[in-house]
Structures are given as structure tokens and as C-alpha cells.
Amino acid sequence: MKQQQIKNILNAGIIGDALGVPVEFSQRDTYFIDEMTGDGTWDQPAGSWSDDSSMTLALVKNLTEDGDYQDLMIKFASYVYDGKYTPGGEPFDIGNTTNQAVQNYERHDFAPLECGLDDEKANGNGAIMRLAPLAIELLNQADLDTRFGMIMEYTSLTHRHPRAIVGSLIYVEILRELMMGSELADALMKVQDELTNSSLDQLYLNEFKYYERIFDGGFKDLPADEIKSTGYVVDTLEAAIWVLFNHSDFEEAVIAAVNLGDDTDTIASIVGAMVASQTPEIKIPIKWSSKIINRALINEIIDPFAAKYGESA
Ligand SMILES: [Mg+2]
């Protein structure tokens, strides 16, 4: 993959996040967003990006530096406690599960892979929202078990319930297929096949049923009111894939995602990363990218990652 596409994938996610921040938790059809605005839910200036991007940037830096899981937990903690990896020096939107996992590491001395919550209620989208860089790291990893093992571990740092883990397996594997040039429908078939025929423990295979709808041929034609857009990992993944089936243009897709309501920033961030993964020559509108706050920090973290994993020019 070209260095530019790696930058595009990460920047597209950040733009989706920033577009969605002012309307996070808003009810669908009570607003319409098609530009970078401020204020709203978090009372932040236009171009502010949230935890989705902060946690992603922490992972980008960890992968660039070949850091271990402990290194990544320290980076997550420096985000939560010190406002590192933020547009304005202060975090304003941290998921509960992530927050508790970081506390498990910092205050209770848990081993990194034991920090994540394994409660059924802890199945939010806080892991998938940060995992696009892992798909880039795993792009050339042909061994399925190695990929699954890494996706499971990187998820477990914050989310240890098998449903969240299976959500990450589906999401990262789809991203990887899109990066390799598969159409979305083919990517889904391939991933369904991989997962159901894998040597995964029954504990995980049992969770697959929660994700069944996205693999159904009729899924893309469901009406919008069948698509929830909450922060529950299953709803988030459904919403993102449904949007992607119905909009392949970056601008159209993120606008559709942001206007689904509820967990707008995370869904638009994931949609942005997915569109940029399947579109090598994507054009990211300057009207949006120019409004992103603290571009210097973003480039400082993303550029060496793109140089490490991408081909130049
Ligand atoms: Mg957020």
C-alpha cells in the first residue's frame, strides 16, 4: 500500500470523528450535518476530534515504535490522565470501559492483557474504533492464526468479552480485505468463511450469531429504521457496513454516517477508514481536512507510521 493511502485511511477516520463530535448522542432526524461544525454535545471548537482518534493515534505510535502491550497501556493512560494525543490538551469524551481498563492498569497493577473488561455490558465500540492501524500492520501477515491472535490481544487491553473480540476480528479482517482490493460483499463472504472455519474456541464462535445480519445478502437493502447506530459494538459495525454498502463516495458516506444519530463520531470515523481502505485514490475534501485541529500532532504521529508500512510515491 502507498504511504499516501495509509495517511488517507487515518485522516479519513479523524475527519469522520470530528464531523460527528458536535452531534454525538443526538437523535436521528433532529439535525442535519454536512460540514465541520463546533459546539453541540461537547461544546468544542469545529475540527475537534475525540477519543476514537486519540486512541488510534496512540496505537499508531505504539506500532511505529514496535512497542509492547505495556507501552500501549502507558500511552492510553497518558491520554486519559494527561491529555496526550488530543486536539486541545484535554480529553473530553472517554468511554467507560476504556477508562476502567486504564485504571486497572494504572491503579490496580493488572497485566496489560488482563486489563480489559469481560462483562457482557462492556461490549461497546471502544476497541474497534481504534483498530484501523492494526489492519495496516497485518496487511502482509498471511497466517490467519497470527492475525487472529494479535487482533484478540489488542482488543483485550480494554475489551475482553468474546463479543467485542469477535467484533474486532470481523472489522479488522474486513478492512484488510478492502485494502487488498476486495469489494465489500466479497470481503464479507471471505471473512465469514474464515471465521466459521477457523480453529477459534467455541466461546467465540458462539458470539458470531450476534453479527449474522451483516453477512445476510439482504442486509444492504434494509430500511434505515432497521439500523441502530448506538455505541454497542454490534450496532456500530452494522451501521458502518450498511452505510458503506449504500455509499461508496467518501463525502456521501461520512455525511450519511454522521446523520444516523447516536454514536455519530465513532460510526463516521469507522466509515471514513473503511471508504479510504477500499479507495486508493480517495480525495479528502480540503474544506474538512483544513479545519482539523492540531494537524501538527497528527502528522507527527502518522507520517513515520506511513513511512514504516507504506511504499513511497
Ligand atoms: Mg468519540
Side-chain angles (χ1 to χ4, degrees), residues 34 43 51 65 70 89 98-99 114 125 129 131 138 145 151 171 189 197 201 238 246 249 254 266 293 304 308:
D34 63 356
D43 201 21
D51 54 346
E65 295 168 354
Q70 184 164 331
T98 295
N99 200 9
E114 305 289 318
N125 54 24
M129 74 182 190
L131 289 181
L138 296 176
D145 291 335
I151 297 166
Y171 173 57
M189 270 201 285
N197 295 312
D201 194 287
E238 282 194 352
N246 290 294
D249 172 74
V254 285
T266 299
I293 294 179
K308 177 177 177 180

Side-chain angles (χ1 to χ4, degrees), residues 157-225:
L157 299 177
T158 54
H159 294 67
R160 255 188 328 142
H161 190 279
R163 195 165 315 151
I165 288 175
V166 169
S168 293
L169 291 171
I170 293 170
Y171 173 57
V172 175
E173 287 292 310
I174 289 174
L175 270 186
R176 189 173 167 274
E177 283 298 322
L178 296 177
M179 288 171 191
M180 292 192 297
S182 296
E183 297 285 332
L184 180 59
D186 296 335
L188 282 161
M189 270 201 285
K190 183 115 189 256
V191 171
Q192 181 181 32
D193 204 49
E194 263 178 17
L195 274 157
T196 46
N197 295 312
S198 71
S199 55
L200 280 175
D201 194 287
Q202 197 60 41
L203 179 73
Y204 300 101
L205 295 176
N206 289 345
E207 295 292 328
F208 201 63
K209 63 176 178 286
Y210 293 94
Y211 296 95
E212 255 170 7
R213 281 209 322 176
I214 58 174
F215 299 101
D216 187 283
F219 177 69
K220 65 177 190 298
D221 300 317
L222 288 177
D225 60 12

Side-chain angles (χ1 to χ4, degrees), residues 9-290:
I9 291 167
L10 299 168
N11 279 312
I14 293 169
I15 286 172
D17 178 10
L19 284 166
V21 160
V23 287
E24 189 179 4
F25 309 129
S26 297
Q27 209 187 330
R28 190 181 302 174
D29 297 330
T30 62
Y31 65 91
F32 182 75
I33 290 275
D34 63 356
E35 57 186 317
M36 205 57 88
T37 58
D39 307 320
T41 309
W42 299 100
D43 201 21
Q44 298 292 313
S48 298
W49 32 278
S50 71
D51 54 346
D52 310 69
S53 302
S54 299
M55 304 284 289
T56 302
L57 289 173
L59 175 58
V60 164
K61 204 160 180 339
N62 167 264
L63 293 171
T64 307
E65 295 168 354
D66 291 322
D68 56 14
Y69 295 129
Q70 184 164 331
D71 167 79
L72 186 52
M73 288 310 292
I74 292 168
K75 286 179 164 59
F76 288 163
S78 72
Y79 158 65
V80 171
Y81 296 122
D82 307 324
K84 268 192 102 169
Y85 315 112
T86 61
E90 247 180 280
F92 58 86
D93 170 23
I94 302 175
N96 283 332
T97 302
T98 295
N99 200 9
Q100 286 183 52
V102 167
Q103 291 198 28
N104 283 340
Y105 181 75
E106 278 285 300
R107 307 223 169 117
H108 307 301
D109 265 343
F110 284 21
L113 294 174
E114 305 289 318
C115 286
L117 277 61
D118 58 3
D119 189 287
E120 196 178 353
K121 290 198 184 75
N123 278 317
N125 54 24
I128 58 169
M129 74 182 190
R130 65 170 187 259
L131 289 181
L134 190 58
I136 297 166
E137 148 86 24
L138 296 176
L139 185 58
N140 297 316
Q141 176 53 262
D143 184 66
L144 186 72
D145 291 335
T146 305
R147 294 204 304 274
F148 279 12
M150 281 184 71
I151 297 166
M152 291 165 100
E153 289 186 349
Y154 271 98
T155 299
S156 298
L157 299 177
T158 54
H159 294 67
R160 255 188 328 142
H161 190 279
R163 195 165 315 151
I165 288 175
V166 169
S168 293
L169 291 171
I170 293 170
Y171 173 57
V172 175
E173 287 292 310
I174 289 174
L175 270 186
R176 189 173 167 274
E177 283 298 322
L178 296 177
M179 288 171 191
M180 292 192 297
S182 296
E183 297 285 332
L184 180 59
D186 296 335
L188 282 161
M189 270 201 285
K190 183 115 189 256
V191 171
Q192 181 181 32
D193 204 49
E194 263 178 17
L195 274 157
T196 46
N197 295 312
S198 71
S199 55
L200 280 175
D201 194 287
Q202 197 60 41
L203 179 73
Y204 300 101
L205 295 176
N206 289 345
E207 295 292 328
F208 201 63
K209 63 176 178 286
Y210 293 94
Y211 296 95
E212 255 170 7
R213 281 209 322 176
I214 58 174
F215 299 101
D216 187 283
F219 177 69
K220 65 177 190 298
D221 300 317
L222 288 177
D225 60 12
E226 290 268 337
I227 304 297
K228 292 184 199 161
S229 45
T230 77
Y232 174 42
V233 59
V234 176
D235 289 348
T236 298
L237 209 46
E238 282 194 352
I241 290 167
W242 182 80
V243 166
L244 199 66
F245 262 129
N246 290 294
H247 307 273
S248 55
D249 172 74
F250 172 70
E251 210 169 319
E252 273 180 39
V254 285
I255 289 173
V258 162
N259 289 297
L260 282 178
D262 209 336
D263 205 352
T264 51
D265 60 334
T266 299
I267 293 168
S269 168
I270 287 175
V271 163
M274 291 180 106
V275 178
S277 293
Q278 72 175 10
T279 320
E281 304 298 327
I282 195 175
K283 290 276 174 288
I284 295 185
I286 292 174
K287 64 178 178 185
W288 290 345
S289 59
S290 64

